Amino acid sequence: MRLILLGAPGSGKGTQGARLAADLQIPTISTGELLRQAVTKNTALGVMARGFMSQGKLVPDDVIMGLIREVLDARTTDGFILDGFPRTIAQAEGLDELLGGYGLDLRFAIALDVAQEKVVKRLSARRVCSECRADANPQPDGSPATGPCGNCGGALIQREDDREETVRKRLMVYDEQTAPLLGYYAAQGKLTRIDGDRPVDVVFDDLLRLVRGDQA
Ligand code: AMP
């Protein structure tokens, strides 16, 4: 099973990708997470990517393609979920070519649909663990989670790029550069759109039905 999760920042790709990966027992590859790790470790990639990320801009395609090629070359299984990649038509074309070289192809491109105002709210309330990087669910009234991480006890922080001004920029970039991928994958007959503006469990049930239906 090879699938990609598409959707605006804050549409639930990370949360749903992690649950789906656990269920299908395949890894999730998140370019955003790989870049954040590189930034934390201050590697050459991290130093290069940091400025783009903090301004809500995309890291250049050639850098991202180099990163993905490295990760896919080192993979231990032919099944994986791609979260946050591809984000441009050039990356999607690069991915098709890369997979073709391995004799593989993509089964699904799943888009999580959530209205823009909802994702702005979600992202400004999002907190992540500074240790294990897990997302902490907001409180029932929508305010940010407080206290230590439920997984590992680490401190919860706000991602630098989740500040409202940067979120708006990221959404603009999404509309301009990433939303065209919906048409790209629709033309390949691979696109499924799922209403992501529902409780996490309900969205996950839909995802499972889709991928399990395919495995049946
Ligand atoms: P994410 O966690 O997926 O929202 O990614 C955080 C940031 O990392 C994005 O706003 C971009 O600056 C950068 N990034 C992640 N994935 C990509 C990608 N596929 N192409 C370009 N930039 C990316």
Side-chain angles (χ1 to χ4, degrees), residues 31-32 35-36 53 57-59 64 84 87 91 159 170:
T31 41
L35 291 169
R36 279 186 288 282
M53 295 170 77
K57 294 183 181 164
L58 294 185
V59 173
I64 295 290
R87 255 173 155 106
Q91 291 180 16
R159 268 172 50 174
R170 288 164 69 199

Side-chain angles (χ1 to χ4, degrees), residues 22-211:
D23 197 274
L24 300 174
Q25 302 208 315
I26 52 177
T28 304
I29 300 168
S30 157
T31 41
E33 200 43 53
L34 292 168
L35 291 169
R36 279 186 288 282
Q37 283 168 13
V39 169
T40 305
K41 289 188 195 143
N42 229 5
T43 63
L45 171 67
V47 170
M48 190 265 155
R50 178 166 193 168
F52 292 101
M53 295 170 77
S54 63
Q55 293 176 60
K57 294 183 181 164
L58 294 185
V59 173
D61 287 335
D62 56 335
V63 175
I64 295 290
M65 286 315 302
L67 175 64
I68 278 288
R69 180 184 295 275
E70 218 176 272
V71 173
L72 290 184
D73 275 349
R75 75 190 187 282
T76 52
T77 136
D78 280 341
F80 42 82
I81 297 172
L82 295 171
D83 161 10
F85 172 88
R87 255 173 155 106
T88 63
I89 296 281
Q91 291 180 16
E93 289 170 351
L95 176 64
D96 283 345
E97 203 181 309
L98 196 56
L99 290 179
Y102 299 129
L104 302 175
D105 70 351
L106 212 54
R107 180 67 192 89
F108 291 114
I110 305 173
L112 299 175
D113 289 323
V114 181
Q116 290 225 344
E117 278 320 303
K118 291 270 173 69
V119 299
V120 173
K121 267 197 194 151
R122 277 190 191 181
L123 289 178
S124 28
R126 174 159 78 178
R127 295 295 178 271
V128 295
C129 176
S130 54
E131 300 291 326
C132 73
R133 314 300 308 180
D135 276 5
N137 290 328
Q139 305 198 48
D141 68 356
S143 57
T146 54
C149 167
N151 274 350
C152 74
L156 299 183
I157 53 166
Q158 182 174 41
R159 268 172 50 174
E160 193 182 349
D161 58 353
D162 276 349
R163 301 206 188 100
E164 185 164 340
E165 204 187 295
T166 316
V167 165
R168 300 230 175 245
K169 171 75 186 165
R170 288 164 69 199
L171 288 173
M172 258 172 56
V173 167
Y174 175 80
D175 278 347
E176 282 168 13
Q177 302 193 56
T178 308
L181 292 183
L182 300 179
Y184 181 87
Y185 287 113
Q188 291 190 356
K190 292 185 176 156
L191 181 72
T192 301
R193 298 185 79 147
I194 289 187
D195 176 4
D197 189 11
R198 295 174 298 161
V200 171
D201 289 346
V202 178
V203 175
F204 185 61
D205 282 349
D206 269 9
L207 281 170
L208 270 189
R209 208 166 305 127
L210 175 70
V211 298

